[in-house]
């Protein structure tokens, strides 16, 4: 087997967004596209000679082919070893765990997360660091630079490696270890949570449905919920990972997990419902007749985490991304915990976790996690919820009611306008940005603007600064509107508008967030001129 140097040229647009490089699958399949980016990853980390990496993906279309290319490129550049999930499958949190447990030099995860999969849909590649977390901006900036000056890449001429069989094998001089992607992760979960209490819950007839959305979490949820915890067979549905995720978006929200949503709101609802996304790092939580928004879920988990063995000693601190509702801040204030506000993107939690400043963190985009790995973790959130339900004996609705009664309620919703003309979306943001300095003191719909600015983050650990992280308008009465353009879409621009209002009046707690926020929603449109700029009079998705 010989390593060949293949001549290539820079390809435009190879710039990782919020989480890795995401493009149309067909783009990734174009000549040299994947190879150029992988070579750029090697460059950005000082090469892979003598290094050990983890490799896995969410099983979407092209996952298997890309894995073979990455292995041949790692071997050609002198990597010592690659630990690969069987059939090139591995959830993002499980990959993060394996990178940490095996003390590897990082890993590559092939995923476009919640984006749909298939030849006409999306593919993605991200690199995680030796701490198990997504590459920080400093490293992704080096990747971009490398893609812009690339002249050649190294690849081994070789047959495909059989990734369907577990065990050790070789590719040239490089060792390959094909592993069960579930085992180490399941063991970790068993250490964190009170499995005996959760088992007891199922023994008493507690019912649950977990929708794996035909994505990577299926085998994990089956092994843990039905295998180790004794949930009845059939608790996990859509459990087989499919290259096109069964034709849907593997995005656990009320729109894309509608089947689960309908079940949970109907007569036959089980006690608990949950779903996860393409690569297993997001989650959705539901009770009978009750949808728990991601920001509320984060706050509830923070308030009750000490019920789980791993967090019994208390939390070091907590963090949320800026657009996430400030329900978490209320918990932190009452419990005397430090609460950090970071830009959107899990990578920004890495330093806080590594430095021991926080134990738990999360985002409005259905991601919650803790210091057990360096990624958000869908099943982890589900298991922590189960642990809380088992220990308190309360229903999800009772937990929510008690939480709001103790801390007050942050009504919250995110409105997404998808595939908007990028130029128009940027013009809208530019126009609003220009008006921000004049907004404080202005009264809109009877509410006074307290502050308005563009969010920038100074990392307290390494001192790095990240600018341009979202436009926010805060009102004196506690309401807030945030505007951002998504960094994970692949077509045009996705405008995200995050709307929040607060209430301490228990009478209002039963209200539907869309109704409770009606006034703020109108203000959000008026302030930015969303309809005027984008031509859209309604969002595509409300979460
Ligand atoms: C990714 C990131 C998250 C981020 C989310 C939304 O999630 O890992 O940290 O909150 O995208 O980002 P944006 O608003 O820029 O689209 P995932 O689950 O797609 O990896």
């Amino acid at each position: 087997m010989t390593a060949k140097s293949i001549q290539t040229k820079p390809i435009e647009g190879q710039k990782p967004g919020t989480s890795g490089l995401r493009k149309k699958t067909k783009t990734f399949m174009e000549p040299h596209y994947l190879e150029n980016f992988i070579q750029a990853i090697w460059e950005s980390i000082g090469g892979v000679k003598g290094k050990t990496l983890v490799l896995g993906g969410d099983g979407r279309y092209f996952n298997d082919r890309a894995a073979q290319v990455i292995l041949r490129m790692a071997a050609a550049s002198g990597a010592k070893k690659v630990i690969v999930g069987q059939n090139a499958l591995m959830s993002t949190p499980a990959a993060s765990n394996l990178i940490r447990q095996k003390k590897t030099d990082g890993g590559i995860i092939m995923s476009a997360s919640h984006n749909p999969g298939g030849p006409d849909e999306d593919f993605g590649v991200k690199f995680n660091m030796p701490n198990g977390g997504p590459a920080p901006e400093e490293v992704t900036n080096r990747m971009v630079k490398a893609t812009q000056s690339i002249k050649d890449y190294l690849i081994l001429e070789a047959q495909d490696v059989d990734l369907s069989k577990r065990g050790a094998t070789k590719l040239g001089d490089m060792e390959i270890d094909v592993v069960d992607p579930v085992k180490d992760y399941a063991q970790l979960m068993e250490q964190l949570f009170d499995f005996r209490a959760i088992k007891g819950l199922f023994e008493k007839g507690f019912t649950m449905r977990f929708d794996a959305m035909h994505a990577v979490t299926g085998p994990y949820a089956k092994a843990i919920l039905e295998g180790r915890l004794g949930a009845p067979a059939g608790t996990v549905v859509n459990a087989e990972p499919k290259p096109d995720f069964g034709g849907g978006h593997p995005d656990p929200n009320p729109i894309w997990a509608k089947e689960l949503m309908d079940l949970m709101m109907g007569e036959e609802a089980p006690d608990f419902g949950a779903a996860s996304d393409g690569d297993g790092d997001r989650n959705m939580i539901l009770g009978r007749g009750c949808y728990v928004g991601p920001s509320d879920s984060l706050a509830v988990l923070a308030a009750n985490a000490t019920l789980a063995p791993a967090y019994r000693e208390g939390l070091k601190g907590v963090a949320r991304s800026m657009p996430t509702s400030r329900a978490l801040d209320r918990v932190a204030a009452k419990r005397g915990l430090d609460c950090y506000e970071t830009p959107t993107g899990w990578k920004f939690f890495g330093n806080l976790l590594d430095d021991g400043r926080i134990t738990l963190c999360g985002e409005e985009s259905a991601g919650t996690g803790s210091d057990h790995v360096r990624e958000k973790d869908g099943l982890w959130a589900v298991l922590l919820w189960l642990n809380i339900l088992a220990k308190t004996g309360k229903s999800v609705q009772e937990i929510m009611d008690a939480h709001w009664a103790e801390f007050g309620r942050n009504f919250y919703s995110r409105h997404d306008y998808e595939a908007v003309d990028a130029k128009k979306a940027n013009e809208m943001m530019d126009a609003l940005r220009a008006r921000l300095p004049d907004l404080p003191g202005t009264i809109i719909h009877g509410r006074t603007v307290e502050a308005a600015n563009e969010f920038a983050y100074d990392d307290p650990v390494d001192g790095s600064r990240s600018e341009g992280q979202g436009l926010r308008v805060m009102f004196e009465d506690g309401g807030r509107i945030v505007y951002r353009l998504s960094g994970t879409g692949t077509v045009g621009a996705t405008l995200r508008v995050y709307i929040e209002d607060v209430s301490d009046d228990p009478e209002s707690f039963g209200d539907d967030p869309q109704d409770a926020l009606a006034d703020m929603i109108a203000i959000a449109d008026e302030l930015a001129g969303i309809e005027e700029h984008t031509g859209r009079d309604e969002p595509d998705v409300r979460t």
Side-chain angles (χ1 to χ4, degrees), residues 18-19 22 112-115 126 277 279 281-282 321 344-347 363-365 375-376 414 484-489 496 498:
T18 311
S19 178
R22 286 185 197 171
S113 189
H114 54 287
N115 297 20
K126 58 179 174 170
D277 70 333
D279 60 333
D281 56 3
R282 294 185 174 206
S321 65
T344 295
W346 205 262
K347 58 191 172 208
E363 297 184 277
E364 51 65 40
S365 56
E375 284 278 6
K376 55 188 182 281
R414 186 180 93 190
R484 266 187 77 240
L485 298 183
S486 155
T488 56
R496 302 206 196 282
Y498 312 80

Side-chain angles (χ1 to χ4, degrees), residues 323 364 412-417 428-429 471 480-485 494-500 520-521 523-525 528 530 539 541-543:
E364 51 65 40
Y412 186 80
S413 183
R414 186 180 93 190
H415 288 193
D416 292 340
Y417 300 78
M428 190 206 92
M429 293 293 279
L471 310 180
R480 183 182 72 156
I481 302 167
V482 175
Y483 304 82
R484 266 187 77 240
L485 298 183
T494 295
L495 168 66
R496 302 206 196 282
V497 186
Y498 312 80
I499 305 143
E500 181 179 2
M520 290 295 279
I521 292 168
I523 297 178
D525 184 36
I530 299 174
V541 179
R542 295 181 178 89
T543 51

Side-chain angles (χ1 to χ4, degrees), residues 343-358:
T344 295
W346 205 262
K347 58 191 172 208
F348 293 104
F349 293 132
N351 279 345
L352 299 173
L353 291 162
D354 284 348
D355 203 46
R357 292 178 184 236
I358 59 168

Side-chain angles (χ1 to χ4, degrees), residues 148 186 285 292 305 308 311 321 326 361 382 489 498 541:
Q148 289 164 347
I285 300 294
V292 184
Y311 312 107
S321 65
R326 291 160 299 171
C361 47
V382 173
Y498 312 80
V541 179

